Amino acid sequence: MTRLPTPCALRRFPRSVSVALFVIAALLYLVQAPPLQAQPFPLASSPRVAAAPGEAPSPTELAVDDGTFETVVATPDGEEFVWMNVLTPPPSLCPYRVESVRVLWPNGEDVVVGDTADVYLYTDTDGDHSPATGAVFRTALENVTAQFVDGVTFSEYELPEDLEVEGCPDLVVALVNTGMTGDAYPAALDTTAPQGRSWAGLYDGPVPRPPPLPAPIFGQIGELAPGDGNFTIRAVAAPLSTATEGGASEARFVLGPAFPNPARDVATVRFYLDEPGHVRLVLYDTLGRAVATIVDGTRGIGEHKATIETTRLEPGLYVWRLDADGQRASGKVTVLD
């Protein structure tokens, strides 16, 4: 009588057969696995000790951060990445002109004064707050240098010519590493109340100039990094003069922010007048004492620029005040030693 094999005996295959089955199963898994580029790219997040409170955005700044950063997001392949913010202007500002870009670089070993990056600006009119669709390249600032790396003071990069934007589209401001000291390219994140307006992209090699959007791998920072937050990247904007039915210019009375701010040698401020008249622009210290009269005379309708040498001033906080035929505006500037 023939005896049937037991269940255990049924599972005893020769070793060579077991190895072959394992290899076949592994190959089937690899064929069915999702492609590598579909996986999130590697980003590291490292908390930093909070420094002194940073700058809150001024009325003329487009920003999503509150001026402080709590986390640094970095990657070992910095030259292949782009970091960006989607900034939405208020309707009262539109149409608008972009004058400069401001970046808060983190304190640490990855960025030192003099390190370089590219700045790229796009406009996006489709209203979805996503640079993955509808972003149109407008202008660039290549190889700007990190001016401050203390995690508190914004570095400011003035556009050679203002970027004039008709209508009220979103502004997309992007940063690309061109010469950072560390192996990782860091981006400072303000983690308070993430707004979903900060994005990152990865290219197959060094980022093209200008970077085409979207990148091959692209997404909001909260989807790609261990933590979510808002990049400390801003744009300084002002209303764009428009034409009335009679053809006359209809500017608005605006005092723009000082730049650079903080200032070491020279500080510049722009202001816009809606009618000609006598103008006084005076600088005051924190005790309310006038320390310098920058402008005192007649000016016409439109944009004007004024500068002051800050080397003769004591380090500290000062206030600009603009008076023009009953209209008044003010702003602040910090003078460094």
Side-chain angles (χ1 to χ4, degrees):
M1 180 176 177
T2 303
R3 185 184 297 274
L4 293 173
T6 63
C8 290
L10 287 174
R11 291 195 295 268
R12 292 194 185 100
F13 298 106
R15 180 179 179 82
S16 59
V17 175
S18 299
V19 172
L21 291 174
F22 174 80
V23 171
I24 293 173
L27 290 174
L28 289 174
Y29 172 80
L30 291 175
V31 169
Q32 297 175 359
L36 180 62
Q37 67 265 23
Q39 304 301 315
F41 47 79
L43 292 176
S45 178
S46 59
R48 296 294 173 90
V49 177
E55 299 178 31
S58 75
T60 56
E61 284 184 285
L62 305 180
V64 293
D65 70 279
D66 63 5
T68 60
F69 81 91
E70 293 83 17
T71 299
V72 173
V73 176
T75 173
D77 300 315
E79 72 279 1
E80 300 177 4
F81 277 78
V82 60
W83 313 97
M84 64 187 63
N85 272 352
V86 180
L87 308 173
T88 301
S92 59
L93 188 69
C94 301
Y96 62 97
R97 70 177 75 215
V98 183
E99 300 174 350
S100 62
V101 171
R102 308 185 73 209
V103 180
L104 182 62
W105 296 106
N107 56 353
E109 299 178 354
D110 294 320
V111 181
V112 300
V113 172
D115 281 355
T116 59
D118 284 350
V119 178
Y120 298 97
L121 284 84
Y122 306 75
T123 51
D124 191 348
T125 60
D126 60 13
D128 62 358
H129 308 311
S130 166
T133 58
V136 177
F137 171 71
R138 299 295 303 273
T139 191
L141 290 171
E142 295 186 351
N143 291 322
V144 301
T145 60
Q147 302 163 354
F148 307 98
V149 292
D150 57 7
V152 178
T153 309
F154 278 83
S155 297
E156 184 152 8
Y157 309 109
E158 184 179 3
L159 274 64
E161 296 183 4
D162 290 350
L163 171 61
E164 298 186 351
V165 181
E166 297 293 341
C168 208
D170 284 344
L171 180 72
V172 181
V173 183
L175 290 180
V176 175
N177 170 25
T178 58
M180 291 290 160
T181 297
D183 294 332
Y185 174 39
L189 275 182
D190 155 37
T191 59
T192 307
Q195 299 187 30
R197 299 298 187 89
S198 296
W199 294 67
L202 173 63
Y203 296 83
D204 297 328
V207 179
R209 291 179 166 177
L213 298 180
I217 299 179
F218 201 62
Q220 294 179 344
I221 194 64
E223 301 171 350
L224 305 174
D228 199 358
N230 310 302
F231 288 144
T232 50
I233 304 170
R234 303 175 176 179
V236 176
L240 179 65
S241 298
T242 57
T244 63
E245 293 183 1
S249 175
E250 184 189 354
R252 306 173 187 178
F253 180 76
V254 175
L255 175 64
F259 60 88
N261 191 6
R264 291 187 183 275
D265 302 309
V266 176
T268 303
V269 66
R270 295 182 178 185
F271 57 93
Y272 307 83
L273 302 180
D274 54 6
E275 58 183 22
H278 187 269
V279 174
R280 278 180 57 84
L281 179 62
V282 181
L283 191 67
Y284 296 86
D285 62 18
T286 54
L287 299 178
R289 298 174 299 192
V291 297
T293 299
I294 315 304
V295 177
D296 188 3
T298 302
R299 297 292 186 273
I301 294 175
E303 175 186 326
H304 303 275
K305 181 185 293 187
T307 61
I308 180 175
E309 293 185 5
T310 59
T311 52
R312 60 186 181 86
L313 300 174
E314 293 293 328
L317 180 66
Y318 292 85
V319 177
W320 306 86
R321 193 174 75 186
L322 177 67
D323 291 282
D325 288 342
Q327 301 185 92
R328 175 174 295 179
S330 61
K332 298 178 180 179
V333 60
T334 300
V335 174
L336 300 178
D337 192 0

